[in-house]
Amino acid sequence: MTTHALAHTGFSSFHSGQSANGQPSADALRRLKRVRRFAWLLDAAIRLPGTRVRVGADAIVGLVPGGGSTVMGLLSFYVVWEAWRMGLPLKLLLRMVGNIAIEAAVDVVPVAGDLLDIAFKANMRNVAVMENWLGVPPSAATRKKK
């Protein structure tokens, strides 16, 4: 395949995480910004009134019986896809898949799965893995609260 043909498939930026000077590439920073927003929507977009607890579409859609958790688990793989396109090492990609697997495994248990969605936030954890690998400061949403 020619470079021109690759550009039309979206794979021309494969392994585009680091530029020649070791800094994150502009493409990687754009991807990270998009993934941060996506993870925030899935894990933390809504603050529960009267609390500091945040939930997202993952916790809400996960309440839908008969596949809500499955759909949200599949959507979580978008973050891993972008990480793969940025060139994260296999070890980190597997850790990210593990985060999704943990959340998906507990999601099958009523109530416990919903509570884990609120507490574990696999998508935000995966964004933190990406931020760490790129060497960029964590976003406010992915910083560990003390």
Side-chain angles (χ1 to χ4, degrees):
M1 220 181 223
T2 67
T3 304
H4 180 48
L6 284 173
H8 291 293
T9 63
F11 288 101
S12 62
S13 58
F14 179 69
H15 293 294
S16 62
Q18 304 289 330
S19 64
N21 64 3
Q23 296 297 313
S25 68
D27 180 60
L29 293 174
R30 278 192 302 277
R31 287 178 193 280
L32 180 62
K33 182 178 178 181
R34 187 171 49 240
V35 169
R36 277 177 173 162
R37 194 172 330 133
F38 182 74
W40 179 81
L41 287 170
L42 291 183
D43 288 346
I46 303 165
R47 189 175 64 93
L48 295 177
T51 70
R52 297 177 73 186
V53 176
R54 300 191 71 84
V55 299
D58 193 6
I60 295 166
V61 175
L63 294 172
V64 176
S69 295
T70 303
V71 169
M72 296 314 292
L74 291 173
L75 286 174
S76 293
F77 278 98
Y78 169 72
V79 178
V80 178
W81 165 256
E82 287 291 357
W84 175 77
R85 291 189 68 198
M86 280 193 249
L88 267 73
L90 180 61
K91 180 180 176 180
L92 295 180
L93 295 173
L94 290 174
R95 181 188 307 165
M96 294 170 76
V97 169
N99 287 338
I100 295 168
I102 289 168
E103 198 170 81
V106 178
D107 261 353
V108 300
V109 180
V111 181
D114 302 320
L115 293 175
L116 183 76
D117 275 340
I118 293 169
F120 190 70
K121 301 185 185 315
N123 299 297
M124 298 302 288
R125 287 175 183 264
N126 288 344
V127 168
V129 169
M130 295 169 72
E131 291 169 338
N132 187 45
W133 182 77
L134 288 168
V136 300
S139 65
T142 58
R143 257 182 252 127
K144 298 279 186 210
K145 304 292 185 226
K146 298 196 178 177

